[in-house]
Amino acid sequence: MVKKVFGKIYIYLVLFIMYLPILILMIYSFQDTTTIRFGEFHTPTFKLYTDLFDFGILKSKEIWIAVAHTIEIAIAAALVSTIIGTLGAIGIFYSKRKVRNTLNAISNISIVNAEIVTALSLRILYSFLHVELSFTTLLIGHVVLTIPFVVLNVMPKLQQMDPNEYEAALDLGATPAKALWKVVFPFILPGIISGFLLSITLSLDDYIITAYTANTSFDTLSTYVYKSMVKKSIPLQFRSLTTIIFVVIAIGVVIYGIVNRHKEAKANLKIR
């Protein structure tokens, strides 16, 4: 009993420490003061939220342009890396053992490799080839960053699959492409979706590769915040924007959990 109580206290303490900064951020999203001091609160106001959606304010307009750029590059990079990563994972899985182990090791190196190494190497490559920084160079950078994580998500699903199903499809007259589409892809779809969502998350949050591979006129949220910090003038509207982002993500996680529980409940009923 005592262990359970201390266990719960420990868990709640860790969660409190993790989410305390976000809680403070959310509280001050309803304060339009430029200074933040402990115990100093004014009457709650929605001014930062109304200012955020007021496109007549230059800072708000710049923020939404950065948001659009961030979403644009994240979706594009996620789509490209999911296609390449999924096909790559299938290719690795069906390779000979020595080749498969080598390719897996190379893929894992990309995951643990310092991001600054990837960013700087891409920047040097572009300079060597006399390629001007653009949306394309940024997209390549984000794809290089996210492909290994797609492979990491798809590979376990391939390992869980019964290889006899693919071979059976071939024996029944299906072409290799049709067997992949009808047998393999439906089974690994959860891994593909996970890889796609993880790619979006990594791309949305990236700063280093974006800073090295993007044109200076193309700002994402991360680069815009950095430039604002250099100028020491981060727009107050960022408090409301980040609060909205957190709430949207939290709602998405809750909905995902409810859907999963509903599916598990249905599966348990079928088993009974």
Side-chain angles (χ1 to χ4, degrees):
M1 181 66 182
V2 176
K3 287 183 178 179
K4 287 184 178 180
V5 172
F6 277 105
K8 287 183 178 180
I9 292 173
Y10 176 77
I11 291 171
Y12 290 139
L13 180 62
V14 170
L15 290 173
F16 176 75
I17 293 172
M18 286 174 59
Y19 288 99
L20 179 61
I22 298 176
L23 178 61
I24 294 173
L25 168 69
M26 295 176 72
I27 291 172
Y28 275 95
S29 70
F30 296 98
Q31 303 281 311
D32 62 348
T33 56
T34 55
T35 57
I36 298 176
R37 293 188 180 90
F38 178 74
E40 184 179 314
F41 298 103
H42 300 276
T43 304
T45 175
F46 287 92
K47 186 177 185 306
L48 296 185
Y49 289 89
T50 55
D51 286 352
L52 178 65
F53 292 95
D54 184 355
F55 296 99
I57 300 175
L58 179 60
K59 292 291 184 181
S60 297
K61 187 176 180 180
E62 290 176 350
I63 289 173
W64 284 113
I65 291 173
V67 169
H69 287 170
T70 305
I71 295 173
E72 181 183 358
I73 188 63
I75 293 176
L79 286 172
V80 175
S81 61
T82 299
I83 294 170
I84 297 175
T86 300
L87 295 177
I90 294 172
I92 292 171
F93 181 75
Y94 285 106
S95 298
K96 293 181 180 179
R97 180 175 295 180
K98 288 184 179 179
V99 177
R100 181 168 64 246
N101 292 338
T102 302
L103 292 175
N104 267 326
I106 293 172
S107 178
N108 291 332
I109 289 173
S110 300
I111 293 172
V112 298
N113 184 35
E115 195 174 326
I116 185 65
V117 176
T118 303
L120 185 57
S121 61
L122 284 170
R123 182 61 177 266
I124 291 174
L125 175 64
Y126 295 149
S127 297
F128 178 76
L129 297 175
H130 301 287
V131 176
E132 292 185 5
L133 298 182
S134 63
F135 180 84
T136 303
T137 59
L138 175 60
L139 177 60
I140 292 171
H142 280 234
V143 169
V144 169
L145 170 68
T146 54
I147 280 179
F149 293 92
V150 176
V151 174
L152 188 67
N153 277 273
V154 174
M155 191 63 71
K157 300 302 296 182
L158 287 167
Q159 293 168 348
Q160 293 170 12
M161 187 182 66
D162 185 355
N164 294 324
E165 293 182 5
Y166 176 74
E167 293 175 5
L170 295 177
D171 292 338
L172 291 171
T175 62
K178 191 171 183 180
L180 280 174
W181 183 254
K182 293 289 186 179
V183 177
V184 178
F185 279 113
F187 189 87
I188 65 174
L189 185 60
I192 295 173
I193 294 173
S194 297
F196 176 77
L197 295 176
L198 183 58
S199 297
I200 287 180
T201 302
L202 290 169
S203 181
L204 287 173
D205 198 38
D206 179 76
Y207 168 74
I208 297 176
I209 287 180
T210 304
Y212 276 78
T213 60
N215 189 287
T216 53
S217 63
F218 190 93
D219 274 328
T220 61
L221 282 173
S222 58
T223 56
Y224 182 79
V225 169
Y226 177 77
K227 290 178 181 178
S228 299
M229 288 177 63
V230 171
K231 298 175 183 176
K232 297 182 180 180
S233 60
I234 298 179
L236 298 181
Q237 296 94 311
F238 255 103
R239 298 180 196 170
S240 53
L241 175 65
T242 48
T243 299
I244 291 171
I245 292 172
F246 175 77
V247 170
V248 169
I249 291 173
I251 292 172
V253 170
V254 170
I255 292 173
Y256 179 77
I258 293 171
V259 170
N260 270 354
R261 287 179 186 175
H262 186 63
K263 286 183 179 178
E264 289 175 3
K266 275 188 174 182
N268 291 333
L269 285 174
K270 287 181 180 179
I271 292 172
R272 292 176 184 176

